[in-house]
Amino acid sequence: MEDLRIALIQSDLVWEDKAANFKQLAELIETTENPDLIILPEMFSTGFSMNAQKMAEPENGQGLQWMQERAKKTKAVVCGSLIIEDGGKYYNRLFWVKPNGDFEKYDKRHLFTYAGEEKTYSAGKEKLITELKGWKICPQVCYDLRFPAWNRNQEDYDLLFFIANWPARRTYAWRHLLIARAIENMAYTIGVNRIGEDKKGVYHSGNSIVLDPLGEILWEEADKQAVKTINLSKGKLIESRERFGFLRDRDEFEIN
């Protein structure tokens, strides 16, 4: 049984400037403290842009290559999402990149219609459950947070996390939905959000957060750049599940 060491990167993003974002995020990653997993915000190379025709890259493009370089250098898994063109369609695609360069991927399932995301991007269909140091992990993207059936714990995952460009004006929903997800799924739950104002004048406060399996806040930061490295205890997770057993009483269902 091993603890899992997570590094959260809460940063501003330079609008549609990949080189600037790669540079500043590489510098922030350098300050992490020997993590097993490094989590970046949603669309970390561009900000939440609908300009996919200009900003998209192929799956093996510079964004994934940059992630592979960071993973190799830090000997940690690096996770974040990029704008990807694949088969003539555009995706908000999360990559889970291992130190040896191998990767897994997850296409954002729920597209943010309020901002017209569905007019540009195609939705994913498959959930990703991956593993690291004996932990089962479910990564998701931003708006997925609002749909509990999609992220309901039916696979006994240990860690659920969301990467986001979540506006400050909806921080109340962000915090309370994350707390609810932790409690109902009896899993460590993390939200990694950007800070700063985007090109459309939308302000993001961050409010990145780490929650234990009972929904207690282990760490939270708002309104400033932050790099946080934190240990998650597998022993506490097992103890909580054995003591309360809520997952054993869950409903069984399928999602089409």
Side-chain angles (χ1 to χ4, degrees), residues 14 78 96 106 121 126 143 157 176 192 198 208 234:
V14 184
V78 176
W96 173 274
Y106 164 72
Y121 297 95
E126 302 292 331
Y143 194 45
Y157 61 69
H176 286 78
V192 177
D198 67 18
S208 296
K234 190 69 174 288

Side-chain angles (χ1 to χ4, degrees), residues 88-102:
K89 296 181 179 180
Y90 300 112
Y91 295 92
N92 184 347
R93 180 166 292 175
L94 176 149
F95 289 101
W96 173 274
V97 182
K98 304 174 186 179
N100 66 359
D102 291 345

Side-chain angles (χ1 to χ4, degrees), residues 43-248:
M43 289 191 182
F44 67 85
S45 68
T46 59
F48 189 61
S49 171
M50 297 300 105
N51 192 8
Q53 188 172 6
K54 177 182 177 183
M55 303 310 301
E57 56 190 78
E59 183 170 89
N60 63 349
Q62 62 180 142
L64 178 59
Q65 293 174 25
W66 180 88
M67 295 176 77
Q68 290 170 324
E69 291 168 1
R70 302 281 80 72
K72 180 179 180 180
K73 185 173 183 179
T74 60
K75 297 180 174 60
V77 171
V78 176
C79 190
S81 82
L82 299 164
I83 301 173
I84 298 296
E85 188 277 327
D86 189 348
K89 296 181 179 180
Y90 300 112
Y91 295 92
N92 184 347
R93 180 166 292 175
L94 176 149
F95 289 101
W96 173 274
V97 182
K98 304 174 186 179
N100 66 359
D102 291 345
F103 64 90
E104 297 176 82
K105 58 192 177 184
Y106 164 72
D107 292 329
K108 186 177 182 181
R109 162 82 169 194
H110 298 92
L111 303 177
F112 190 40
T113 57
Y114 186 77
E117 189 178 12
E118 84 290 355
K119 297 175 182 176
T120 300
Y121 297 95
S122 295
K125 297 180 180 178
E126 302 292 331
K127 186 188 294 186
L128 173 63
I129 305 291
T130 187
E131 293 192 20
L132 180 62
K133 293 183 68 175
W135 290 65
K136 295 178 71 175
I137 300 171
C138 179
Q140 299 200 17
V141 182
C142 203
Y143 194 45
D144 289 328
L145 175 61
R146 288 186 177 271
F147 301 91
W150 178 243
N151 42 66
R152 182 63 170 149
N153 195 352
Q154 300 191 83
E155 301 85 5
D156 291 321
Y157 61 69
D158 306 307
L159 168 63
L160 172 68
F161 71 82
F162 298 86
I163 60 173
N165 276 219
W166 195 285
R169 58 177 173 257
R170 286 187 286 276
T171 294
Y172 182 89
W174 166 257
R175 295 184 75 253
H176 286 78
L177 289 170
L178 283 163
I179 292 168
R181 297 297 87 84
I183 293 169
E184 69 196 10
N185 293 307
M186 292 211 76
Y188 284 98
T189 300
I190 292 174
V192 177
N193 191 27
R194 67 162 293 179
I195 58 168
E197 187 172 287
D198 67 18
K199 188 71 171 181
K200 298 178 181 179
V202 177
Y203 178 69
H204 305 77
S205 60
N207 285 96
S208 296
I209 193 169
V210 181
L211 301 155
D212 77 7
L214 299 178
E216 295 292 330
I217 297 172
L218 302 179
W219 175 82
E220 183 179 18
E221 189 65 75
D223 296 309
K224 66 179 181 179
Q225 180 175 282
V227 178
K228 176 64 176 179
T229 305
I230 188 168
N231 286 344
L232 306 184
S233 169
K234 190 69 174 288
K236 182 175 182 179
L237 174 74
I238 293 172
E239 179 185 1
S240 297
R241 288 179 172 177
E242 288 180 347
R243 179 181 178 187
F244 295 107
F246 300 143
L247 287 180
R248 293 193 295 269

